[in-house]
Amino acid sequence: QVQLEEYGGGLVQAGGSLRLSCQGSGLTFGNLPIAWFRQAPGNEREFVAAIRSDESTNYSDDMRGRFTISRDIVRNAVYLQMYGLKPEDTAVYYCAARYGDLWSTKWFEYDYWGQGTQVTVSS
């Protein structure tokens, strides 16, 4: 059974940092593209960052330079380090996995999802 579980959300002041973790079971993260998405109330789920099996990464323009995605193959985990958080970063953050070798910025092209973790940035 495939499961993705996110950790690390919370409440942080603007300008602060958080590190989100995504722990996978039932699939090997090192072989698949893994992405982070987020969804704020009333908004569509939006792409944040993705990492491929060759360690190449892709970021939304809004997050590039502030967020870093990384992978730990031994722990079968993917991380999202977030710096310089802004109130508009407030959302539920999800990790997702898809079969194949290419990442996608489209949420509906991912096959597995975690339950999400809430990130709230206060001004």
Side-chain angles (χ1 to χ4, degrees):
Q1 181 180 359
V2 174
Q3 283 190 321
L4 305 181
E5 192 163 4
E6 301 93 341
Y7 301 93
L11 174 64
V12 63
Q13 288 188 332
S17 303
L18 277 177
R19 186 192 194 215
L20 305 183
S21 302
C22 175
Q23 183 67 53
S25 60
L27 75 172
T28 302
F29 272 14
N31 296 338
L32 302 173
I34 307 294
W36 287 95
F37 286 78
R38 70 185 187 184
Q39 189 167 20
N43 291 357
E44 290 191 358
R45 194 164 295 192
E46 67 170 332
F47 174 76
V48 174
I51 187 166
R52 286 174 54 177
S53 58
D54 64 359
E55 301 300 313
S56 58
T57 57
N58 187 27
Y59 296 91
S60 168
D61 288 343
D62 288 345
M63 292 73 161
R64 195 183 308 274
R66 294 192 300 125
F67 293 4
T68 301
I69 189 171
S70 61
R71 184 205 312 265
D72 186 327
I73 293 175
V74 172
R75 290 184 168 84
N76 208 38
V78 170
Y79 307 102
L80 185 69
Q81 178 68 55
M82 305 185 291
Y83 298 100
L85 285 163
K86 307 173 184 179
E88 51 264 43
D89 293 319
T90 295
V92 177
Y93 284 70
Y94 300 89
C95 68
R98 68 188 299 259
Y99 290 112
D101 189 47
L102 299 178
W103 56 53
S104 171
T105 62
K106 300 177 178 65
W107 65 266
F108 50 83
E109 293 186 347
Y110 284 79
D111 302 292
Y112 299 103
W113 290 85
Q115 292 300 306
T117 185
Q118 176 71 46
V119 172
T120 303
V121 184
S122 63
S123 58

